[in-house]
Amino acid sequence: MSAVMEATAPPVVRGEQRRTWAAVFALARFEARELLQHIPVAVTLLFYVGYTGWKLMSPPDGMDAYPALQDADRATQTAPLLFAIALFVCVNRAALRDRRRGTDRHFDVLVMEPWRRTAAHALSVVPFGVLTALVVGAQFTWQALRPGAVGHGSVFELAVAPLYVLLFGALGLLVARLIPSAFAAPLAVIGLFTALLFVSTGTGGAWTRWLSPVVGESSSSTLPSELIGRPAGWHALYLGGLVLVAALAAVLFAPRDAVFRLPRRGGWSRSSPRPFGALVGLGGALVLAVTGAVGQSGGVSSELAAARERASVAPEKEQSCVRHGGSQYCAFGEWTGRTGTWAGVVDRIQALAGGAAADRSLLVRQRIDARYGLDGDSAIAPSTTPGQVTVGTRWGGNRVPEFAVGVASVLVGGDEKKGGELCDGRVVTVMWLALGGDPDPVADLKNVRLDDSLSGSAVVLAPTSSLSMSAGQTDVVRELLVSKPRAEVTAAVKSHWAQLTAPGVTTAEVARVLGTEVPKGADECGK
């Protein structure tokens, strides 16, 4: 007596398919909760959210109080890196849980196919990508709401962190399906970072670094949004394609079913084939990833290079100017709202000056060197135009006293080039004008000096040419700021302006006129 088992698959109705996918989503929710209970994921996620929240709630200080949003969007990209690595390892571990515990053979009698269980693992990563997107959005919005914020952010730059969190999770799942071993994940992490280091410093130059999920910039400069030229949109497409490639490849490499498995209704059925939709989707995902990779390797267009050249050598063609008081302020479009802040510094300095300098009309112009994009960090050459003062694109912190030094040196020297060449007693006059009306002049004197000192000789920073302060000049300036009443020094500067700004005046003569201790030794002009 024998029995023949039919191998014909029963018909699948639409409602049954909906129930099957409901089970997939239910399993995905379960796996997401399980991931959250893994110590590496929980700790790194708590650190990421806590650190970001602490930075947001800290009182803005220095340049952080004046963010440029075209820089703030990129600042969101590196923080969740540890969280992404933890997700990689823990998703890999979760996908191997059944093999590790020896329960995988029992799944052959379940209704849900192995590829659907793999799809549930892939979907379990999505909540963490969404959470990363919420943190990134909160971080950027907080910066955008600051009163000193300027510029425009990019939604594609903001998408980088959530996308590579999803990518790391999907890669952890793919490694589990390709190499079902607990030792594979740590080795894969090492290999991944070795590969990223190679592509970021490889022989391909600029285009190879865009194969890395996060592409940083070596420059501290801030450029107008339209001159940045990062292929952020193509890079987001590239990362999105990689996420889909990794997830769909993991589904396709899911373990095979047993030859016979329990049916959904009546009779036995053979194992279902690999999902054809996943194979088609993998092909489409590869097209997206390759398209993004090719698009982001295009380099700088001729139009962008020409725009950068104009902004660098002829900024007056790209700027709009406004007048505050007796001076004119010219800035790129995103910074026109900050001209009033610059005018406040100029007015404060001219209030301490005497002679014609107190009412002199200045031209404050924003200047940048954008010819090399965000990879360049070259100094701005001093202007030889009488009365022109350079201001940069960053503000707050040390940039304020540096700009003040630039204004004062032009008032005393005539232009930026001559002001940077001052080395006699006029340096004392410049430093008094720059810092005498400052709320915390001693701290700014320390911050504006290259070695952060309050004694001895030092280089004083300015937007263009730096100044040199001798030890004697430092002593006189420090005494003026600390020991002498501001009103008394201001009156002396105004009444002896011609003498204090005369070429060749010594530091000793300036000290006597301003009523401070005369420094010992002839230490002006490098002596």
Side-chain angles (χ1 to χ4, degrees):
M1 182 177 181
S2 62
V4 178
M5 291 187 294
E6 294 291 338
T8 58
V12 179
V13 298
R14 184 175 301 177
E16 188 175 351
Q17 290 179 341
R18 286 199 296 266
R19 288 193 296 272
T20 302
W21 280 107
V24 171
F25 292 130
L27 180 57
R29 289 193 296 270
F30 169 81
E31 292 294 348
R33 289 194 298 269
E34 287 293 304
L35 284 174
L36 192 57
Q37 294 176 20
H38 281 74
I39 292 178
V41 171
V43 170
T44 54
L45 178 60
L46 183 63
F47 175 78
Y48 169 49
V49 175
Y51 175 73
T52 303
W54 172 76
K55 287 186 66 177
L56 294 182
M57 300 308 296
S58 300
D61 185 31
M63 286 180 282
D64 292 337
Y66 299 87
L69 300 185
Q70 57 266 41
D71 294 338
D73 55 8
R74 300 196 309 277
T76 64
Q77 295 178 359
T78 57
L81 182 58
L82 287 177
F83 171 54
I85 296 173
L87 201 60
F88 178 101
V89 175
C90 292
V91 169
N92 181 274
R93 184 174 177 82
L96 296 175
R97 182 195 307 120
D98 306 313
R99 182 184 180 89
R100 189 172 60 253
R101 296 178 179 177
T103 59
D104 53 340
R105 62 184 181 274
H106 301 298
F107 286 155
D108 291 336
V109 299
L110 296 182
V111 173
M112 185 180 294
E113 300 95 332
W115 71 265
R116 294 186 189 271
R117 292 196 296 272
T118 300
H121 279 289
L123 291 173
S124 70
V125 182
V126 173
F128 298 99
V130 173
L131 179 59
T132 304
L134 292 176
V135 176
V136 166
Q139 184 178 355
F140 180 78
T141 302
W142 191 268
Q143 295 289 351
L145 293 177
R146 291 195 187 279
V150 298
H152 302 85
S154 168
V155 66
F156 299 113
E157 296 283 11
L158 296 174
V160 167
L163 284 175
Y164 80 69
V165 167
L166 292 174
L167 176 60
F168 274 58
L171 287 176
L173 178 60
L174 178 59
V175 170
R177 291 298 176 243
L178 293 176
I179 311 175
S181 171
F183 298 101
L187 295 177
V189 170
I190 296 174
L192 178 62
F193 276 89
T194 302
L196 294 180
L197 181 63
F198 174 78
V199 299
S200 62
T201 59
T203 57
W207 75 268
T208 59
R209 64 177 185 161
W210 285 98
L211 298 177
S212 174
V214 180
V215 182
E217 305 292 348
S218 59
S219 174
S220 60
S221 301
T222 295
L223 300 180
S225 301
E226 63 273 12
L227 300 182
I228 289 181
R230 283 170 57 94
W234 291 114
H235 190 61
L237 179 64
Y238 164 72
L239 290 180
L242 288 184
V243 171
L244 294 176
V245 166
L248 293 172
V251 170
L252 289 173
F253 281 104
R256 291 281 186 178
D257 291 352
V259 176
F260 291 102
R261 53 196 307 276
L262 289 178
R264 295 184 180 89
R265 60 174 68 182
W268 291 84
S269 65
R270 290 188 182 274
S271 60
S272 59
R274 302 292 187 187
F276 180 72
L279 184 60
V280 174
L282 179 60
L286 283 171
V287 171
L288 291 179
V290 172
T291 301
V294 173
Q296 69 187 6
S297 64
V300 178
S301 65
S302 57
E303 294 81 4
L304 178 58
R308 287 177 173 178
E309 183 74 17
R310 287 194 305 271
S312 302
V313 302
E316 65 276 2
K317 297 180 180 180
E318 307 292 327
Q319 295 176 342
S320 57
C321 302
V322 295
R323 182 168 291 277
H324 294 280
S327 297
Q328 196 172 26
Y329 300 82
C330 300
F332 295 101
E334 294 171 319
W335 282 268
T336 53
R338 191 170 288 172
T339 55
T341 305
W342 302 336
V345 177
V346 173
D347 293 343
R348 186 191 73 199
I349 294 171
Q350 289 190 300
L352 302 178
D359 301 313
R360 184 178 181 180
S361 178
L362 299 177
L363 172 61
V364 177
R365 184 175 297 282
Q366 199 170 42
R367 297 174 64 203
I368 57 174
D369 189 348
R371 287 171 288 188
Y372 305 101
L374 292 174
D375 292 325
D377 204 7
S378 57
I380 305 298
S383 172
T384 57
T385 303
Q388 178 171 310
V389 182
T390 295
V391 64
T393 52
R394 306 192 73 185
W395 191 252
N398 295 354
R399 297 297 178 265
V400 178
E402 289 173 11
F403 173 65
V405 170
V407 174
S409 63
V410 169
L411 290 177
V412 173
D415 60 55
E416 288 183 332
K417 183 174 178 58
K418 294 177 181 177
E421 296 171 350
L422 297 178
C423 57
D424 50 27
R426 289 176 291 177
V427 172
V428 174
T429 306
V430 168
M431 297 306 296
W432 162 254
L433 293 178
L435 305 175
D438 194 277
D440 192 355
V442 176
D444 278 342
L445 173 62
K446 179 179 179 181
N447 293 335
V448 83
R449 287 159 62 96
L450 189 59
D451 61 353
D452 295 331
S453 67
L454 289 174
S455 61
S457 59
V459 173
V460 177
L461 300 176
T464 55
S465 298
S466 57
L467 280 75
S468 296
M469 285 185 72
S470 66
Q473 292 162 354
T474 301
D475 293 339
V476 174
V477 172
R478 188 179 63 248
E479 185 177 352
L480 289 174
L481 298 177
V482 175
S483 304
K484 305 293 291 184
R486 180 179 301 176
E488 178 181 326
V489 178
T490 301
V493 169
K494 288 180 176 292
S495 58
H496 299 86
W497 179 257
Q499 181 180 357
L500 295 174
T501 58
V505 64
T506 64
T507 302
E509 293 172 340
V510 171
R512 281 191 289 268
V513 169
L514 299 180
T516 65
E517 183 178 352
V518 177
K520 299 178 180 179
D523 54 1
E524 297 85 15
C525 297
K527 296 181 181 179

